[in-house]
């Protein structure tokens, strides 16, 4: 097994939550190919008291419990001793930087990521202040823990590592890679319960198919995510296609 392209250390109280998603399909294959190494590290193993506690009551009062700093600092010491300074130490939390394809691409360039999955009301702030390099949120909602967000981030990042997806083309063409939504996909049969595949896709005319797909991407993005359209890098051809679409809408 060659040197893995990326190492991901995940600090969590529930390592068992990860076995399903990371032992199936693409991530499993990436691990088997040695393209990525994912280590699940149980925060509780770094508790330094005999009851192996990892949380405590909040200073200043209030409901709920707070994750203590010590086990996380001890775990980071262990990670550093074993593998040196991580490229990024990511805390998953609702206040974090919104996760998107651009952030995934940025993280995919790192050699070593540490993801910290919190629980309870939150984590002692000294962790965010002195250990964390990036706070990331997968959306504006509160979850019981950082584990599900960590799975989402690992999935989106791993699939961008060269060699993880079979033919790179599918990752390139896919939504958000060029900033537009994806065109519709079809496969056999060419007619199912009376529903037919668009003729152009059966024509074998590659240029027409490319244009049809691009038009569909532009139409879909215009219809459901005009904000993405505003930010996308459009070619001259794209603008011509959009102009003709807008003409049709007006007529
Ligand atoms: N939107 C998100 O990415 C997100 C991340 C974490 C989270 N919850 C954890 C539990 C306690 C605290 O560490 C944060 N909820 C939502």
């Amino acid at each position: 097994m060659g040197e893995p392209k990326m190492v991901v250390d995940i600090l969590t109280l529930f390592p068992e939550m990860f076995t399903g998603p990371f032992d199936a399909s693409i991530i499993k294959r990436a691990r088997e190919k040695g393209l990525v190494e994912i280590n699940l590290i149980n925060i509780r193993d770094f508790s330094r008291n005999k009851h192996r506690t990892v949380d405590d009551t909040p200073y200043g009062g209030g409901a709920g419990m707070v994750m203590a700093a010590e086990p996380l600092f001890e775990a980071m010491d262990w990670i550093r001793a074993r593998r040196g300074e991580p490229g990024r130490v990511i805390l998953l939390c609702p206040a974090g930087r919104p996760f998107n394809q651009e952030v995934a691409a940025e993280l995919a360039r790192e050699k070593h990521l540490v993801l910290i999955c919190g629980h309870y009301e939150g984590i002692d702030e000294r962790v965010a202040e002195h250990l964390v390099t990036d706070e990331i949120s997968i959306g504006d909602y509160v979850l019981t823990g950082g584990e599900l967000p960590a799975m989402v981030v690992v999935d989106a990042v791993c699939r961008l590592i060269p060699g993880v997806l079979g033919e790179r083309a599918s990752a390139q063409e896919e939504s958000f890679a060029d900033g537009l939504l994806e065109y519709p996909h079809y496969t056999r049969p060419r007619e199912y319960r009376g529903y037919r595949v668009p003729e152009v896709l059966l024509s074998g005319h590659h240029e027409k198919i490319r244009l049809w797909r691009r038009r569909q991407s532009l139409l879909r993005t215009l219809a459901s995510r005009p904000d993405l359209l505003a930010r996308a890098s459009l070619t001259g051809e794209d603008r011509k296609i959009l102009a003709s679409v807008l003409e049709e809408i007006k007529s």
Side-chain angles (χ1 to χ4, degrees), residues 92-94 118-123 136-146 149:
L92 290 310
C93 60
H119 266 268
Y120 312 106
E121 292 313 301
I123 302 180
I136 288 179
S137 167
I138 63 165
D140 292 337
Y141 37 81
V142 182
L143 301 168
T144 56

Side-chain angles (χ1 to χ4, degrees), residues 86-144:
R88 304 287 182 101
V89 179
I90 298 165
L91 174 65
L92 290 310
C93 60
R97 174 186 177 196
F99 185 64
N100 59 27
Q101 196 63 25
E102 189 184 334
V103 178
E106 184 187 310
L107 297 181
R109 291 192 286 272
E110 294 287 347
K111 292 284 288 174
H112 179 197
L113 301 176
V114 173
L115 274 61
I116 300 177
C117 305
H119 266 268
Y120 312 106
E121 292 313 301
I123 302 180
D124 187 295
E125 189 59 16
R126 287 166 284 193
V127 171
E129 269 174 50
H130 304 292
L131 292 184
V132 170
T133 61
D134 299 75
E135 295 188 6
I136 288 179
S137 167
I138 63 165
D140 292 337
Y141 37 81
V142 182
L143 301 168
T144 56

Side-chain angles (χ1 to χ4, degrees), residues 174-191:
E174 194 173 319
S175 293
F176 294 96
D178 60 3
L180 297 181
L181 298 181
E182 195 145 301
Y183 51 77
H185 297 280
Y186 294 87
T187 186
R188 279 188 287 268
R190 55 173 56 198
E191 176 163 344

Side-chain angles (χ1 to χ4, degrees), residues 222-241:
L222 178 64
S224 51
R225 287 296 304 273
D227 61 302
L228 289 178
L229 199 57
R231 289 207 309 262
S233 47
L234 299 182
T235 64
E237 181 185 71
D238 291 336
R239 296 184 198 291
K240 271 196 294 197
I241 293 171

Side-chain angles (χ1 to χ4, degrees), residues 29-250:
R29 211 172 29 198
R31 297 174 79 176
E32 285 168 349
K33 284 186 190 173
L35 296 171
V36 66
E37 175 189 318
I38 301 176
N39 305 307
L40 295 165
I41 298 167
N42 192 331
I43 298 166
R44 200 171 293 283
D45 293 344
F46 293 89
S47 167
R48 289 290 174 262
N49 66 59
K50 64 176 180 298
H51 301 293
R52 284 168 58 88
T53 57
V54 293
D55 62 329
D56 207 335
T57 52
Y59 277 119
M65 301 290 272
V66 173
M67 274 186 91
E70 183 184 58
L72 290 163
F73 274 76
E74 294 282 333
M76 279 304 300
D77 289 348
W78 184 79
I79 287 172
R80 288 195 183 100
R82 219 167 48 129
R83 199 178 303 279
E85 191 62 34
R88 304 287 182 101
V89 179
I90 298 165
L91 174 65
L92 290 310
C93 60
R97 174 186 177 196
F99 185 64
N100 59 27
Q101 196 63 25
E102 189 184 334
V103 178
E106 184 187 310
L107 297 181
R109 291 192 286 272
E110 294 287 347
K111 292 284 288 174
H112 179 197
L113 301 176
V114 173
L115 274 61
I116 300 177
C117 305
H119 266 268
Y120 312 106
E121 292 313 301
I123 302 180
D124 187 295
E125 189 59 16
R126 287 166 284 193
V127 171
E129 269 174 50
H130 304 292
L131 292 184
V132 170
T133 61
D134 299 75
E135 295 188 6
I136 288 179
S137 167
I138 63 165
D140 292 337
Y141 37 81
V142 182
L143 301 168
T144 56
E147 281 77 12
L148 288 172
M151 289 174 211
V152 166
V153 169
V154 168
D155 187 296
V157 169
C158 280
R159 61 184 295 285
L160 295 178
I161 294 169
V164 170
L165 288 182
E167 61 296 336
R168 281 293 296 156
S170 59
Q172 286 313 318
E173 281 180 7
E174 194 173 319
S175 293
F176 294 96
D178 60 3
L180 297 181
L181 298 181
E182 195 145 301
Y183 51 77
H185 297 280
Y186 294 87
T187 186
R188 279 188 287 268
R190 55 173 56 198
E191 176 163 344
Y192 180 69
R193 294 191 185 185
Y195 305 130
R196 290 188 54 72
V197 171
E199 283 305 319
V200 64
L201 298 180
L202 310 174
S203 70
H205 195 298
H206 298 296
E207 179 56 10
K208 274 189 186 166
I209 290 168
R210 183 189 67 78
L211 278 170
W212 181 87
R213 286 175 166 171
R214 190 66 183 174
R215 189 170 184 281
Q216 290 296 317
S217 286
L218 289 162
L219 271 173
R220 291 183 153 203
T221 312
L222 178 64
S224 51
R225 287 296 304 273
D227 61 302
L228 289 178
L229 199 57
R231 289 207 309 262
S233 47
L234 299 182
T235 64
E237 181 185 71
D238 291 336
R239 296 184 198 291
K240 271 196 294 197
I241 293 171
L242 274 174
S244 73
V245 162
L246 293 173
E247 273 310 302
E248 273 174 44
I249 292 173
K250 271 191 241 161

